[in-house]
Each structure stands twice: as C-alpha cells, then as structure tokens.
Amino acid sequence: ALLGGGVASLAGHPVAQVTRWLGPLYAVAGALTLWGSTVGRAWARVNRVEVPVAGLPEAFDGYRIAHVSDVHCGPYVPGWMFGGWARAVRSLEPDLVALTGDLITVGEGYLGDVTAFARGLVARDGVVACMGNHDYFQTDEGVARALDLAGVTLLRNGATRVSRGDATLHLAGVDDRWSRRDDLDLALRGVPEGEPVVMLAHDPACWPDIVRRGVALTLSGHTHGGQFGLPLGPRLNLGRLASRFSAGLFRE
C-alpha cells in the first residue's frame, strides 16, 4: 500500500484515487488465499493420463497406477484432509498406488499421520513408495518406519515386480537426490535389460538420467504441480524456477 501510494504520487496521481481500491483488492486476495489454503488444498483433482509403453506385456494393457505425491503430513494437513485424498484414491480402484515422496514436512511429530494415510490406500497390487527430500528433514528412518507399519513397499535404490500370470512389470525407486542418496544403477540392478520399468523418483531432475537407462515411465513429484501458477498457460508457474519439468506429462 505504501509503495503503491508512493509510486502514484511520483507519477502525479492523487494518492486517494489509488488507496480507495486497496480495500477491495485486499478483500479479493484474502478470499482467494482462504479458499486456496482450505477447500482448494482439500479438493483432490484427478488427472487421467494414458501412457503407451513399448514392449508392455498384453496382460498389463490398461494397468492403472494412482500416483500421489507430496502429501506433507504436518500441522497444516489435518486428518480430514489427507483422509479425503485417500478416499479419492480408493474410488479409482487402481491396480497400484505409487507414492513419490515428501510424505511429511519435517521431523517425526506426524509420522502417525503418514501411517494412517498410507493405510487408507487400497490397490490390487498394493502400495509402493520412494523417499523425498522432506522425508529426511530432522529424521532418518522415521518415514520408512511409518510406511512399514502400513505395509507399503519402500523402494530405496531398489526394485520389485508385479505379475499377471507369466507376465511381469518391473517397479523401481530411487532414493532422495537432495541428500545424495540416489543411485540409479543400484535401483535398476537385477532388472532384465529391455523389459519395461516404471521408476519412482521424487525429484524430476533425475528424469534425463533415467531416460538414458531405458526406463519406460517415471513418476515424480517435488514441484507441487508448479506450486503457484497463472491461468496463462500450463507451464507458467513457480515450479519452473526449480525444474523445467514442473507439471504434466513429458516425453522423450
């Protein structure tokens, strides 16, 4: 308000003509902030994306993965909110749920919420997860323990598989890149060359290296879908400051 008044004064405009608009503008901004921090955050919008995968066994045609990331359990994510997200996932009746990190914000005070959220997720082939950078903030093994209590398969530079008869789909997960725990070679060790792999990697900065290793599909989070964006294009958002892979599907 002071800056705007000063600029208006220097430009030769009466300050009163500027300040009389500040009240309505602040009211609108306050309403949008309140909506975004409550209802807007709680509403789980589902994006359905069909991805063709070369060499995918016919038994996995139409395989459905519910991808959830950056839940950030903590003081600003109450139980009713993450419970609603879990119900939204269950309603999709997925074959697999993939959690790509940042399940907490910091510390170990809300690990019970992580377990409760993960237990609320149901899929035919269970739940798999990888770690994010926040999952190591003021804790080392807390999130891993919380996921283990919920029966989640945590992939920390490791791989697993799901089967449909004789057909196999490989799942791999790379550990946190920020704390330099990531090791793609170790994550893909034991995966037969040429077979389709789905990789869980919290930070999309890993993706170019993952592509060079022939992985068919990578699921990432970290950028919060852009965190904050303007309705002027799908890529105009704050997430671009952290990564060119800020939101959506990328192909290479």
Side-chain angles (χ1 to χ4, degrees):
L2 293 172
L3 180 61
V7 171
S9 177
L10 290 173
H13 300 291
V15 175
Q17 291 186 7
V18 177
T19 55
R20 67 191 178 95
W21 292 103
L22 293 178
L25 285 174
Y26 284 149
V28 171
L32 289 174
T33 300
L34 182 62
W35 172 271
S37 62
T38 56
V39 178
R41 291 179 64 225
W43 176 44
R45 184 177 64 182
V46 177
N47 295 317
R48 291 175 170 84
V49 183
E50 185 172 356
V51 181
V53 174
L56 186 72
E58 185 177 353
F60 287 97
D61 185 26
Y63 193 79
R64 292 169 297 170
I65 301 175
H67 175 210
V68 186
S69 194
D70 296 79
V71 178
H72 283 284
C73 288
Y76 305 112
V77 182
W80 64 266
M81 187 177 289
F82 67 71
W85 298 338
R87 284 193 298 274
V89 172
R90 292 197 302 270
S91 71
L92 301 173
E93 298 182 349
D95 293 299
L96 181 77
V97 176
L99 302 175
T100 52
D102 277 8
L103 293 167
I104 59 169
T105 296
V106 64
E108 299 191 344
Y110 291 87
L111 294 179
D113 287 355
V114 174
T115 300
F117 173 69
R119 282 176 174 166
L121 305 173
V122 178
R124 179 178 178 181
D125 294 319
V127 182
V128 295
C130 69
M131 299 285 272
N133 54 302
H134 278 263
D135 298 325
Y136 288 112
F137 286 179
Q138 297 183 19
T139 182
D140 288 322
E141 298 297 321
V143 172
R145 293 194 303 269
L147 291 175
D148 184 63
L149 288 173
V152 173
T153 300
L154 180 58
L155 302 175
R156 303 165 82 176
N157 297 324
T160 186
R161 64 182 68 186
V162 292
S163 300
R164 291 284 187 272
D166 295 332
T168 298
L169 177 65
H170 298 276
L171 309 170
V174 66
D175 212 335
D176 174 46
R177 180 184 177 93
W178 275 38
S179 56
R180 299 183 179 180
R181 290 176 166 90
D182 56 314
D183 188 330
L184 285 173
D185 291 330
L186 185 59
L188 292 170
R189 183 180 298 174
V191 176
E193 186 175 351
E195 294 194 15
V197 183
V198 176
M199 174 72 77
L200 278 58
H202 175 69
D203 191 338
C206 298
W207 186 57
D209 291 335
I210 295 172
V211 169
R212 285 191 286 270
R213 286 166 169 79
V215 171
L217 173 65
T218 302
L219 303 176
S220 296
H222 190 54
T223 62
H224 296 192
Q227 181 74 12
F228 177 85
L230 297 175
L232 302 177
R235 297 291 177 260
L236 185 58
N237 54 60
L238 289 181
R240 287 297 301 270
L241 299 177
S243 172
R244 67 187 178 98
F245 312 118
S246 58
L249 177 68
F250 295 84
R251 289 185 172 92
E252 183 174 316

